[in-house]
Amino acid sequence: MLELKNINLSFGEFSIFDINLQLDKGDYFVLLGPSGAGKSVVLELIAGILSPNSGQLFLNREDITRKRIQERSVGLVFQDFALFPHLNVFQNIAYSLKIKRWKKERIAERVAELANQMDIAHLLQRNTRDLSGGEKQRVALARTLALSPELLLLDEPLASLDIQLKKELRSQLRKLHKMGQTIVHVTHDFEEAILLADKIAIFNQGKIVQQGLKAQVFSQPKSEFVAHFIGVKNYFLVSKTEENTLEIEGKIKLRCKKEISKRATIQAVMIHSGDISLNRISESQAEHTENVFSGTLVDVYPAFRGYELLIDIGMPLVVNISHKQFLQMEFAEGSRLECTISAENIQIIE
């Protein structure tokens, strides 16, 4: 449906380069990355607000690279909503329909349909200045969907909303997606990507560093940047392999369940911080056995469902534990701990 081929654009000191993306009809595609990585620039290129220095954009196999925004079947919802303050909610939603000279009866039907879909029918006569952030976002979505764009572009749509409003709008976006709407969604929040995306492209410094199906990208990060950005704390480079034993950064050895082929090129391992067992030990008990490492608790951070512990086992290891376990074991900075890493929980990145 949408294809970006070898897109390059430079302005000022910033550039995006060699951007290649492909969306199928009905995809929910998230462009994920830190602020300033180039995600919104790509969104504006798709919309037609910007034109590339080189490369091509295709929508339904038609070259739209130089087409004006009005000639593309796309709808863009800006981060700041960009509602017309001098018009009420009904008039905002109806704006593009009036420009297209729809009849009044048809406009009223379409506005009512969108207002019901977005749960804002009770707001149609309200001034947009009097709306909450979540209400403004719904109005902006309804206005953008009025002409049934083939492609809906969202620039950080949840960024300015509180937790409850984010939850409500995510539900609306999932509903739109289930109805068949193709969506490109820009965000810096990997949790948003987990909850909404089918496919993901991760940006850094003006280029795509990894893309693919959500499950594939999150389970097989190809670089330390990607791993840390999607919330993986224990991502270690492999310096040497022997049968099914890996030497990690020249510091510790891990035994893996998977038999490693001599031909395999193992780049890194990933260990989820909730997959590590902990026990308190005394100095006399501190002995290394297979995948069991003694270490010192360096720091403790409150986490969403308990605590995050930073443990020095010769290299930094992050472990998540529940609030109950933390209290039961009476952990404190400087405690000597025994960390057990099951071979089944060591994920190999080839």
Side-chain angles (χ1 to χ4, degrees):
M1 180 199 184
L2 177 72
E3 186 175 9
L4 279 65
K5 282 188 174 181
N6 306 317
I7 296 292
N8 295 276
L9 175 63
S10 296
F11 50 92
E13 296 181 356
F14 183 76
S15 297
I16 62 167
F17 44 94
D18 201 26
I19 301 297
N20 289 276
L21 285 174
Q22 189 164 344
L23 276 76
D24 296 320
K25 185 173 177 59
D27 278 348
Y28 199 122
F29 204 119
V30 168
L31 310 184
L32 179 66
S35 297
K39 311 180 299 296
S40 294
V41 172
V42 171
L43 207 68
E44 292 180 6
L45 282 163
I46 296 170
I49 296 170
L50 298 173
S51 293
N53 298 138
S54 63
Q56 293 175 288
L57 294 92
F58 296 88
L59 184 60
N60 294 327
R61 299 183 181 179
E62 179 187 1
D63 190 339
I64 61 168
T65 311
R66 303 299 166 189
K67 283 199 167 188
R68 297 181 303 161
I69 187 170
Q70 299 93 330
E71 298 171 332
R72 305 183 185 201
S73 184
V74 301
L76 173 60
V77 179
F78 293 97
Q79 185 175 348
D80 61 358
F81 317 130
L83 297 175
F84 302 120
H86 62 290
L87 302 179
N88 66 21
V89 170
F90 181 98
Q91 292 164 335
N92 263 275
I93 299 171
Y95 183 80
S96 61
L97 306 177
K98 287 186 176 181
I99 295 295
K100 292 289 184 180
R101 299 184 181 278
W102 282 31
K103 292 182 179 179
K104 285 185 178 180
E105 296 79 7
R106 193 179 171 200
I107 289 174
E109 288 176 7
R110 180 60 175 154
V111 171
E113 178 188 352
L114 290 164
N116 288 327
Q117 185 179 326
M118 292 293 156
D119 298 326
I120 52 172
H122 60 295
L123 301 175
L124 288 176
Q125 300 308 314
R126 291 267 297 273
N127 191 297
T128 56
R129 287 189 292 259
D130 302 329
L131 304 180
S132 69
E135 290 168 341
K136 287 179 180 178
Q137 188 63 278
R138 289 172 188 238
V139 174
L141 269 170
R143 185 183 64 181
T144 304
L145 292 168
L147 288 172
S148 303
E150 292 190 60
L151 192 59
L152 177 63
L153 308 177
L154 306 174
D155 191 4
E156 298 276 6
L158 309 180
S160 61
L161 306 181
D162 62 32
I163 292 173
Q164 182 57 35
L165 290 176
K166 282 184 180 181
K167 183 179 178 182
E168 292 173 6
L169 192 58
R170 279 199 302 264
S171 177
Q172 288 288 347
L173 293 176
R174 279 194 290 267
K175 192 186 299 182
L176 274 175
H177 181 215
K178 286 178 181 177
M179 291 169 65
Q181 180 68 56
T182 308
I183 300 172
V184 182
H185 176 143
V186 161
T187 183
H188 62 273
D189 186 342
F190 86 95
E191 190 174 326
E192 252 175 66
I194 291 172
L195 293 170
L196 292 169
D198 292 326
K199 298 176 182 176
I200 291 173
I202 298 182
F203 282 70
N204 190 33
Q205 297 180 345
K207 63 181 180 180
I208 296 174
V209 293
Q210 188 171 350
Q211 65 174 303
L213 295 172
K214 172 177 66 178
Q216 178 189 38
V217 173
F218 284 167
S219 65
Q220 287 283 318
K222 291 183 178 179
S223 69
E224 190 171 0
F225 169 81
V226 174
H228 289 317
F229 192 76
I230 64 175
V232 177
K233 303 294 177 67
N234 299 314
Y235 184 93
F236 305 115
L237 300 179
V238 173
S239 51
K240 189 177 178 182
T241 62
E242 293 178 6
E243 295 180 354
N244 60 339
T245 300
L246 303 174
E247 186 176 288
I248 308 300
E249 301 184 356
K251 295 175 181 176
I252 68 170
K253 289 187 177 182
L254 283 176
R255 191 85 170 164
C256 300
K257 185 178 181 183
K258 178 180 177 181
E259 193 68 36
I260 299 166
S261 166
K262 291 181 180 179
R263 295 182 181 179
T265 303
I266 311 299
Q267 295 181 336
V269 295
M270 191 166 74
I271 306 161
H272 289 288
S273 50
D275 289 339
I276 301 166
S277 300
L278 289 181
N279 287 298
R280 288 203 63 154
I281 57 171
S282 65
E283 290 293 335
S284 60
Q285 292 175 304
E287 295 181 2
H288 286 284
T289 57
E290 188 174 283
N291 288 3
V292 179
F293 306 95
S294 61
T296 303
L297 179 55
V298 176
D299 214 339
V300 179
Y301 308 93
F304 185 62
R305 289 187 177 90
Y307 290 90
E308 187 174 277
L309 279 55
L310 178 61
I311 302 167
D312 181 3
I313 62 168
M315 60 185 218
L317 187 70
V318 176
V319 182
N320 278 10
I321 63 171
S322 68
H323 181 75
K324 181 179 179 181
Q325 186 182 3
F326 182 81
L327 294 177
Q328 284 177 340
M329 303 193 75
E330 298 180 336
F331 290 136
E333 290 179 25
S335 297
R336 294 287 292 162
L337 303 175
E338 183 182 80
C339 307
T340 303
I341 304 170
S342 169
E344 294 177 352
N345 294 328
I346 298 168
Q347 189 169 337
I348 294 172
I349 309 296
E350 298 184 23

